[in-house]
Structures are given as C-alpha cells and as structure tokens.
C-alpha cells in the first residue's frame, strides 16, 4: 500500500509517500480501507519528532490519529463489524495511508448521512472535546465554559457538544469570520482576542462570577488570565500548549478558591480507557450526528500526496474546523 512514512523528522517536506506492506490484522483487529484521514496539530509535533507513537514502536512510523473508510478484513475474535461496514476510528498512528489496522473497540459506525470526509473529522476532535467537557471538567446542564480557539477542530466540536448539553458557552477566536461561525455553532459570546481582553469579557458576561470550566489550547500565555476567569472550584483543562509549556501558578489562588488544573491526551492512554471513552461517546452522541444536531466542520481537503501542503495550511491558523486528507 501507499502511505506517508516518517523516515526523518523536520518540516512538512519530510511527508513523502512510500510503498509499505499492508498492516497485519490481529485477532481483535479490523483493517480499514482508508478513504479520509483527519489532520491534527499532534501530527505536526510528530512530524518534528516531538510526539512519538506509544510503544511498541511501529516498523513504519505513519502519522494520522483518525480516519474513516470501510472494513476490509476482520480478526477471528471480532464481533461488532463485518467486511463492508463503514467506520470511523481513533488510531494510535497510521491514518495517513491506504489501509490501517486497529482494535475493533477503537472504531465506531459512521452515523447515517455522513460522508467519509465528515466522519474522518470526528474521532480525535470530538472525543478530545467530549472527554475534556464531561470527564475532566465534569460539566452539567446549566453550567458555563470558556472554550479557547473555538474555530479549530477540537474547539468547534466542543462548542457543539456543550450547546446540545445545555451549557453556556463563551469562546475566543482571531477573526470576525470565525466569530460569526462559532456563534452559529452555539456559542453565546465570541471574543476576538486581537481586539478584546477575554478575562474582562468573561467577567462582564458572568456578572463577575467567572466560568465553571475552561478548555485551553494555548498554555503558558493564558494560564494567569484563565485562573482569573474561573469561578471558585472551577477547572482548567489543558489540551494544548501552543504558547509554551512552562508557566507559574499562584498557589494561593489555587488553594483559596479550590481550583483544579487538569491535562488530557488520548494517544498515550491505556487501551481500556480509550475503549470506555469511545463507547460512552458513541452511546450519547450517535443520534445527534444522525439528526444533524452535531456535525463535522470541514475547512479544506487535500489528497494524501499533498500532506505537506495540508500541514503548511494548518499552521497558518486560518482554518475553521478540520483539515482532511482524502485517500484514493
């Protein structure tokens, strides 16, 4: 098969197609004929050698954490899928290829009405957002959340999930176009961080109370302002660290206001934790996708051979929603 193989680390130019053997199908695995694969910021880090796949190290390091297509082979112990089933999957790597193998419990049926391109935008982004909102922050109907980078893949997923769950959402964006898009997704307030100070807007919007939780992709630069934007007993969930990883916490605030700072990542989790998350997510959201109340936001697609261009485009921060690779 053809696949993007990382034989060296570096800039987008290292993303080149090679011919490699078809993936092996274990007894609990399915092999998926990939039709589309999501591009994530974690892929950019892996390309630079900063986000290695979990052990055991694969013979061929192929990026790609989510994909969609059809099942072409099943292992001897597989019971949930048959050949020909359309699926979307969370994978530990290997999505940038014509075929990928994964445990059957890491795959989900594609909801009716969704294309392969739309389905490929769901696993990594929506599972990350769902986990952050309802597991890490433990939010419930009527509570409030500040979602940074609301126009991104995870941000746009989180806004939708929060909206259908009855949460009050404020978000940050970088352009007027993005502001209008996230308001249409269900955000009540969208702060353009070039023109406004988000902690001031959050304070005014919440009548000085702050929000119950914050989903943050920025890290270092936002930590102090994030803590100032939280209610007493509020939670910050750190999903990314675009501005840096080193930050100082005012421990007096943390103790006195009983705040919580949590981190989240999917790739490095034990198998049973991923299985539990995927099962819960599927049970609670499948009907919303089928009815159109939840949906993937697609910014642009690139053919697999243009993976380098897809990476270059993602780092411009112009995207609204997901960038997807299509696989012939």
């Amino acid at each position: 098969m053809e696949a993007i193989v990382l034989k060296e680390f570096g800039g987008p130019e290292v993303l080149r197609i090679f011919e490699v053997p078809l993936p092996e199908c274990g007894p609990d695995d399915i092999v998926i004929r990939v039709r589309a694969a999501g591009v994530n910021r974690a892929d950019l880090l892996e390309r630079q050698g900063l986000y290695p796949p979990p052990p055991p190290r694969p013979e061929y390091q192929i990026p790609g954490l989510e994909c969609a297509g059809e099942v072409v082979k099943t292992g001897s112990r597989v019971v949930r899928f048959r050949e020909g089933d359309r699926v979307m999957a969370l994978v530990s790597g290997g999505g940038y290829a014509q075929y990928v193998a994964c445990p059957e419990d890491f795959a989900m049926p594609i909801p009716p009405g969704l294309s392969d391109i739309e389905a490929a935008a769901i696993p990594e982004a929506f599972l990350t957002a769902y986990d952050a909102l309802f597991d890490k922050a433990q939010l419930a109907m009527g509570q409030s959340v500040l979602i940074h980078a609301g126009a991104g893949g995870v941000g746009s997923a989180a806004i939708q999930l929060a909206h259908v769950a009855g949460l009050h959402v404020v978000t940050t964006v970088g352009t007027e176009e993005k502001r209008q898009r996230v308001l249409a997704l269900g955000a009540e307030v969208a702060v353009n961080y070039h023109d406004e100070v988000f902690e001031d807007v959050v304070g005014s919007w919440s009548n000085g109370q702050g929000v119950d939780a914050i989903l943050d992709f920025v890290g270092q630069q936002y930590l102090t302002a994030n803590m100032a934007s939280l209610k007493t007993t509020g939670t910050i969930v750190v999903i990314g660290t675009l501005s840096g990883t080193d930050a100082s916490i005012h421990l007096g605030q943390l103790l006195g206001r009983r705040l919580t700072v949590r981190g989240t990542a999917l790739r490095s989790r034990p198998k049973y934790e991923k299985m539990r998350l995927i099962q819960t997510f599927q049970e609670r959201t499948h009907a919303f996708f089928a009815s159109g109340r939840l949906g993937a936001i697609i910014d642009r697609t690139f053919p697999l051979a243009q993976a380098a261009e897809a990476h270059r485009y993602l780092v411009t921060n112009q995207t609204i929603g997901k960038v997807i690779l299509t696989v012939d």
Side-chain angles (χ1 to χ4, degrees):
M1 69 173 184
E2 291 186 343
I4 299 290
V5 181
L6 291 174
K7 294 194 172 183
E8 59 182 320
F9 301 120
E13 67 279 357
V14 305
L15 299 174
R16 299 190 300 273
I17 287 182
F18 295 90
E19 286 194 1
V20 297
L22 289 167
E24 296 183 2
C25 184
D28 299 307
D29 294 342
I30 60 173
V31 175
I32 301 169
R33 171 65 171 94
V34 178
R35 299 298 182 183
V39 179
N40 294 280
R41 288 193 175 272
D43 303 343
L44 311 185
L45 296 175
E46 181 171 0
R47 188 199 73 223
Q48 299 170 69
L50 303 175
Y51 192 50
R57 187 176 181 87
E59 181 179 0
Y60 300 97
Q61 188 168 339
I62 301 170
L65 300 176
E66 59 186 347
C67 65
E70 64 267 8
V71 177
V72 295
K73 191 174 183 179
T74 61
S76 59
R77 292 198 291 261
V78 169
V79 296
R80 294 177 54 232
F81 298 107
R82 301 170 62 182
E83 292 182 15
D85 287 348
R86 297 181 66 232
V87 297
M88 53 189 183
L90 180 75
V91 293
S92 296
Y96 290 18
Q98 290 179 316
Y99 297 88
V100 66
C102 74
E104 68 165 329
D105 290 316
F106 289 7
M108 298 171 280
I110 295 177
L114 268 64
S115 68
D116 292 328
I117 288 172
E118 292 169 319
I122 291 173
E124 177 73 15
F126 273 87
L127 284 166
T128 297
Y130 184 93
D131 174 69
L133 289 167
F134 305 118
D135 186 8
K136 298 298 179 290
Q138 298 184 347
L139 291 170
M141 181 183 293
Q143 291 188 299
S144 57
V145 58
L146 166 60
I147 300 170
H148 287 300
V154 178
S156 61
I159 291 172
Q160 293 181 72
L161 288 166
H163 180 62
V164 299
L167 302 176
H168 300 289
V169 180
V170 58
T171 187
T172 59
V173 294
T175 69
E176 177 61 23
E177 180 186 6
K178 291 181 178 182
R179 192 177 79 85
Q180 294 299 328
R181 290 291 296 274
V182 298
L183 290 173
L185 293 176
E188 297 178 18
V189 175
V191 181
N192 186 330
Y193 55 77
H194 292 300
D195 303 326
E196 303 173 282
V197 178
F198 75 79
E199 58 264 42
D200 293 342
V201 176
V202 170
S204 176
W205 177 69
S206 65
N207 295 318
Q209 297 300 304
V211 293
D212 293 288
I214 298 173
L215 272 56
D216 181 46
F217 306 84
V218 179
Q220 180 188 79
Q221 183 180 333
Y222 275 11
L223 182 59
T224 299
N226 279 340
M227 292 182 66
S229 301
L230 279 179
K231 282 183 180 179
T232 297
T233 73
T235 300
I236 299 172
V237 182
V238 180
I239 302 173
T241 55
L242 290 173
S243 69
T245 56
D246 295 330
S248 298
I249 292 181
H250 191 296
L251 294 178
Q253 285 194 37
L254 196 73
L255 294 171
R257 296 171 57 209
R258 305 184 303 284
L259 305 179
T260 301
V261 180
R262 304 192 67 175
T264 183
L266 297 184
R267 192 181 198 184
S268 58
R269 293 191 188 187
K271 182 178 178 179
Y272 71 89
E273 288 190 14
K274 294 180 185 179
M275 291 167 53
R276 182 180 61 186
L277 172 61
I278 291 168
Q279 181 178 1
T280 303
F281 171 81
Q282 181 181 341
E283 291 173 350
R284 296 184 179 178
T285 65
H286 186 88
F288 288 111
F289 284 109
S291 68
R293 293 188 65 189
L294 293 175
I297 309 302
I298 308 300
D299 182 283
R300 189 175 297 185
T301 66
F302 294 82
L304 182 64
Q306 294 180 18
E309 292 305 313
H311 278 219
R312 292 188 182 99
Y313 178 59
L314 188 60
V315 298
T316 66
N317 291 326
Q318 298 176 15
T319 57
I320 299 176
K322 294 282 291 191
V323 175
I324 301 294
L325 297 177
T326 57
V327 185
D328 293 328

